[in-house]
Structure formats: structure tokens, C-alpha cells
Amino acid sequence: MRERKIILSEKDMPKKWYNIQADMPNPMQPPLHPGTKKPAGPEDLSPIFPMALIEQEMSKERWIDIPEEVLDIYSLWRPSPLHRAYNLEKALGTPAKIYYKQEGVSPAGSHKPNTAVAQAYYNKQEGIKRLSTETGAGQWGCSLALACNYFDMDCTVYMVKVSYKQKPYRRSLMEVWGANVHASPTDTTKSGRDVLEKTPDSLGSLGIAISEAVEDAAGKKDTNYSLGSVLNHVMLHQSIIGLECKEQLKMVDQYPDYVIGCCGGGSNFAGISFPFIHDKIRDDKQVRCIGIEPLACPSLTKGSFTYDIGDAAGFTPLMMMYTLGHDFMPPGIHAGGLRYHGQSPLVSQLHHDGLIEARAVGQEGVFEAALTFARTEGILPAPETAHAIKGAIDVALECKEAGEEKTILFNLSGHGHFDLTAYDDYLAGKIKDVEYPQELIDESIASLEKIS
Ligand SMILES: *Cc1c(COP(=O)(O)O)cnc(C)c1O
């Protein structure tokens, strides 16, 4: 029998996260306080984050111990399997070997619990009783609800009103795990009331929901805020994905020529690729790491590398990153998790330094790739994940063209069981490529204040 699944035993699960800040050729530019424009210190972040996470955010330690309690919860679904995609390879007729890491096996259905569990743990350690957050499509809200449930903490989720109405089952799942879910804008925060006063029928936005969640946390001693992507400590927690992949590939004597992931805020791509970039920097390995983003929200391929705020309201520090400008209004594509104007500062710096590559792909090709995958390997991917699949298929076809027997690894960041409306639309021929017009990107970037 062919070995389709490469399974790492529980006892061989990595016990430390990898921090790429220890190995970057160029150091990160510091985050800046949005008011003073001076480097933001721990005291600027402590009203909404626990000290342990602030330390990880700024740490240059290469290896950071995963706490025993976090490992214990990880072991409910980790190590996740690594699959060889024999059926997909055959359908494409490619000489390349394709491997995918199955992060859809977590209880919430994606990679996001890898950081949610760690964040809930450190907050609990520092006496925090409740976490607040925002969610768009609902994947992050579900992951944090799950994590708070394990640690017996309260969880408040501000869910963008349009998703609250259109994605009732993600809301149900959050409530099953005990979270309080509000359709944002609400009348319980000042930010929410300000919006409702001007537009009583507002359907909300991620920017408004972030403002509500941050305001909720900043005002209360027992409450902190939690973010599911972009920040350095999130990239750190996700490194478990790539560290496991390395062990699993070793078991079958393989090393990837390509490592591929989809890019929203950058966390699952960072998770699978950073441990390999470690080898690229330290051991001169010839591995190519490629982040795949939507043509409709192309921060890495068309954005500027500059300081910008992380939210529409301007509560968050200014971060040096590839951005389309915080005024950028992404078109309503179905991959909700990839509709962020910016990009993780770590992923951005590495892209700027030429250590990673980026490609942008259109919606039609993405859904076609998702169906090819579902009809060969059987798994229905999240629309976000389907971007990575499209990227992997394109590379596999390039290998076919060149007659090269390369090894491709990609991250299956989550399943698409809650995204069937999008698949319905695709099957009904309603999904079209949307490319964000360059003039609008230029306009949005031009409106950014020049700081660097
Ligand atoms: C949230 C999400 C993403 C995008 O976020 P990143 O931080 O870029 O990983 C991708 N895939 C899935 C399944 C998600 O839930």
C-alpha cells in the first residue's frame, strides 16, 4: 500500500515554537504609537494584551517553550496529518510530488486554534477572565470561543453584522462553545453608537468590529483583546505547522523545493514556511516559499511597504508592512479571511528582503482548483485555502512543463463546510474574477501619511 498519510506520534510533537526574529537578516522596524508616532513600548500594549504575549511580540529568542497546558490541548488534534496528494498528482499528470498539511482537522476546522489556545492560556495565567475580539466570516471567533471554553474564560465576539445575518451557523458554533456574539455595530460601545447614529442600518465592517472589541477590552481590568493574525506572536504560535511538516517529511526522506500557503494576515503561510526559511537563512537551503493572495486584495504583490495602522479606526499601533492603505475597501469576494488591507510585518519584511515570493490569483481559477481538489483528494477546502491549492497546482503544472520532479508542500489551512453558499454561487456560475483597480490602490496608498 502507498503511504498517503504521514503521521507523527503525539510524543514526537514539537515542544518549542520557532521565532524567526532570531534569524532575520534585517531587523524589524518597530511599531509606532498612533498618536505620538514614537516607537510603541510594552506599556502602550499592556491595557489590552498580557505581558507574556507582549514579550513574545518583541522577543529575539530563537526557540520558545510551548507550555505543558497548551501542548495538552494541542494533542486533542495535533500532530495533524501530512498527506501525499497522489490522486491530484495523477489528475494533473505532473512528475512533481505534492504534499499537504491538514490543518482542517482542528475542532474549529482551521489552523487558527493553534494561536487561540496559546493566547487564552497566557491571558488566564495573568488573571484575565474574559477575552474580546472581532470576527468577519466567523473562523477566528469560533477558534477563540473554543480556546476560552477550554480555559473556562468568557468570550465576547463582535461579528460584522452582514456575516452575522449571512453565516448563522458560524455564530451557532461560537455559542455552542459559550461565547457571547454581538452583531457589530452594537449600541454597547461608543464606537458602535457613533456609527449607528450616522447610519442606523449599517451592516458593519471589520474595522468597526475591531474598534468595538478594543474599546471593550481597554475599558475593563479583567478583559483583554485578542487578534487572530498579523502580529508577531501569532506567527510564532503557528510555527508548529511547519515544524511538524519537517519531521513528517524526514520520515519519508523528503525536503520541499516549494512551500506554499494562502495569505490573508499571513499567519498560516508564516506557520508552514518560517521553519523552512530558517534553513534557507542558516543552511543555505534552496527552498522557495510562495504566499498566494487574491487579485482582489493584493497587498504583497501591489501594495506599498510602509507604515500604516492595523484597523480603520486608528486604535492600533502603526506597523511597517505591505499595505493597500487602511481606507482600502476590499470587494466582496468569498474568501472573507483574505480581505485585510495589510499583511503581517514579519511576512512583509521577509518579502522585502527577497526571502519569500508572492503571487496573486483570481477567484474563478481558485474555485476551479478547489473543485479539482475536492474531486481528487475528497476534501472540500475553505475558499481561503483554495488560493494555496491554486498556487500549488500552478507550480505542479510548471514542473510538468519543465519535466522536473520537484517536491511541493502546501498548507491546507481549513475545510469549507461552512462556506457552501460560496460553492453554490460558483456552481451557479456567479463567481467572477475581480481585480482591484490600480488607480484605487494608488489613491488609498497616497493618502497614507509618510512617516519613514
Ligand atoms: C483566517 C483564515 C485564513 C487567512 O488568515 P492568515 O492569517 O493569512 O492565515 C486562511 N485560511 C483559513 C482557513 C482561515 O480561517
Side-chain angles (χ1 to χ4, degrees):
M1 221 170 80
R2 289 187 296 188
E3 198 169 16
R4 287 186 188 268
K5 293 188 294 301
I6 303 148
I7 311 276
L8 202 60
S9 77
E10 258 176 64
K11 68 173 178 22
D12 293 330
M13 185 159 65
K15 306 292 186 294
K16 292 174 195 291
W17 289 302
Y18 169 60
N19 178 17
I20 201 161
Q21 290 194 72
D23 293 314
M24 291 169 77
N26 291 308
M28 303 276 296
Q29 303 292 321
L32 306 179
H33 188 281
T36 63
K37 311 274 182 333
K38 297 250 158 60
E43 64 288 356
D44 294 314
L45 302 172
S46 61
I48 55 168
F49 293 115
M51 228 41 210
L53 291 179
I54 296 173
E55 278 164 18
Q56 289 182 355
E57 192 63 20
M58 305 181 173
S59 170
K60 297 249 176 346
E61 285 291 313
R62 182 169 295 118
W63 300 101
I64 295 181
D65 286 332
I66 307 176
E68 202 54 48
E69 292 87 338
V70 173
L71 285 172
D72 187 51
I73 293 173
Y74 276 180
S75 72
L76 287 165
W77 70 91
R78 304 207 72 87
S80 65
L82 180 74
H83 294 246
R84 171 88 185 262
Y86 283 111
N87 294 7
L88 178 63
E89 289 171 18
K90 189 163 164 230
L92 300 175
T94 177
K97 298 183 184 73
I98 306 176
Y99 290 89
Y100 61 93
K101 180 69 163 164
Q102 219 317 18
E103 289 296 304
V105 297
S106 81
S110 77
H111 66 290
K112 289 198 172 78
N114 296 334
T115 187
V117 168
Q119 292 190 41
Y121 167 79
Y122 288 116
N123 275 289
K124 173 99 179 182
Q125 286 295 99
E126 296 184 28
I128 295 298
K129 304 248 175 329
R130 182 169 71 99
L131 289 176
S132 78
T133 196
E134 74 289 336
T135 197
Q139 282 152 325
W140 170 242
C142 285
S143 303
L144 195 67
L146 170 80
C148 285
N149 176 67
Y150 285 136
F151 289 106
D152 211 7
M153 297 169 77
D154 292 330
C155 181
T156 305
V157 181
Y158 294 87
M159 186 173 189
V160 179
K161 193 178 273 172
V162 59
S163 309
Y164 185 92
K165 288 187 174 163
Q166 285 174 357
K167 302 214 165 176
Y169 298 129
R170 277 275 172 204
R171 173 176 56 73
S172 313
L173 191 54
M174 289 183 247
E175 288 173 352
V176 163
W177 284 317
N180 279 309
V181 187
H182 304 293
S184 164
T186 71
D187 59 8
T188 60
T189 66
K190 183 175 178 308
S191 328
R193 284 191 298 273
D194 284 351
V195 173
L196 289 175
E197 216 165 87
K198 282 187 214 119
T199 27
D201 53 355
S202 165
L203 289 176
S205 72
L206 212 49
I208 298 168
I210 295 178
S211 310
E212 290 206 275
V214 171
E215 185 184 326
D216 185 344
K220 296 173 197 83
K221 262 211 142 33
D222 67 349
T223 303
N224 267 346
Y225 169 71
S226 187
L227 191 63
S229 189
V230 182
L231 300 179
N232 305 345
H233 65 264
V234 179
M235 309 296 131
L236 172 77
H237 303 152
Q238 294 295 355
S239 67
I240 184 130
I241 302 173
L243 292 170
E244 284 182 6
C245 284
K246 262 174 137 170
E247 294 305 314
Q248 287 164 309
L249 285 171
K250 238 185 253 164
M251 290 164 70
V252 286
D253 279 330
Q254 292 292 324
Y255 192 88
D257 298 293
Y258 295 90
V259 178
I260 296 171
C262 65
C263 265
S267 74
N268 88 88
F269 174 65
I272 196 161
S273 67
F274 284 6
F276 293 98
I277 296 176
H278 163 278
D279 300 352
K280 199 175 159 88
I281 298 171
R282 293 173 62 87
D283 307 325
D284 214 16
K285 284 274 191 192
Q286 296 302 306
V287 51
R288 289 175 65 181
C289 299
I290 311 177
I292 314 288
E293 57 185 16
L295 265 179
C297 192
S299 54
L300 283 170
T301 50
K302 292 207 176 149
S304 274
F305 187 54
T306 184
Y307 271 110
D308 194 7
I309 44 177
D311 64 327
F315 279 148
T316 67
L318 289 145
M319 291 177 288
M320 187 70 178
M321 60 184 176
Y322 279 92
T323 177
L324 296 164
H326 57 265
D327 289 335
F328 165 81
M329 258 301 172
I333 56 163
H334 277 288
L338 305 182
R339 291 181 59 192
Y340 183 63
H341 68 271
Q343 185 55 239
S344 136
L346 282 172
V347 170
S348 295
Q349 183 70 50
L350 292 166
H351 181 49
H352 192 67
D353 293 340
L355 284 161
I356 63 171
E357 302 166 47
R359 295 184 183 184
V361 293
Q363 288 306 282
E364 280 186 71
V366 163
F367 276 92
E368 191 189 322
L371 258 67
T372 301
F373 192 73
R375 289 171 181 172
T376 50
E377 297 294 314
I379 299 169
L380 183 79
E384 291 86 353
T385 307
H387 288 71
I389 297 174
K390 169 69 175 151
I393 289 178
D394 286 350
V395 170
L397 293 175
E398 287 159 23
C399 291
K400 180 179 176 179
E401 191 82 2
E404 289 177 336
E405 209 180 301
K406 301 275 187 186
T407 299
I408 301 168
L409 167 68
F410 77 85
N411 195 28
L412 196 124
S413 58
H415 68 64
H417 297 179
F418 289 94
D419 303 286
L420 290 166
T421 319
Y423 282 96
D424 259 357
D425 287 350
Y426 175 70
L427 293 173
K430 288 195 245 165
I431 293 220
K432 294 271 171 288
D433 284 351
V434 241
E435 189 168 347
Y436 203 69
Q438 187 66 48
E439 310 87 75
L440 291 183
I441 296 175
D442 295 344
E443 223 170 81
S444 170
I445 290 171
S447 72
L448 290 178
E449 210 181 317
K450 280 276 164 278
I451 291 160
S452 46

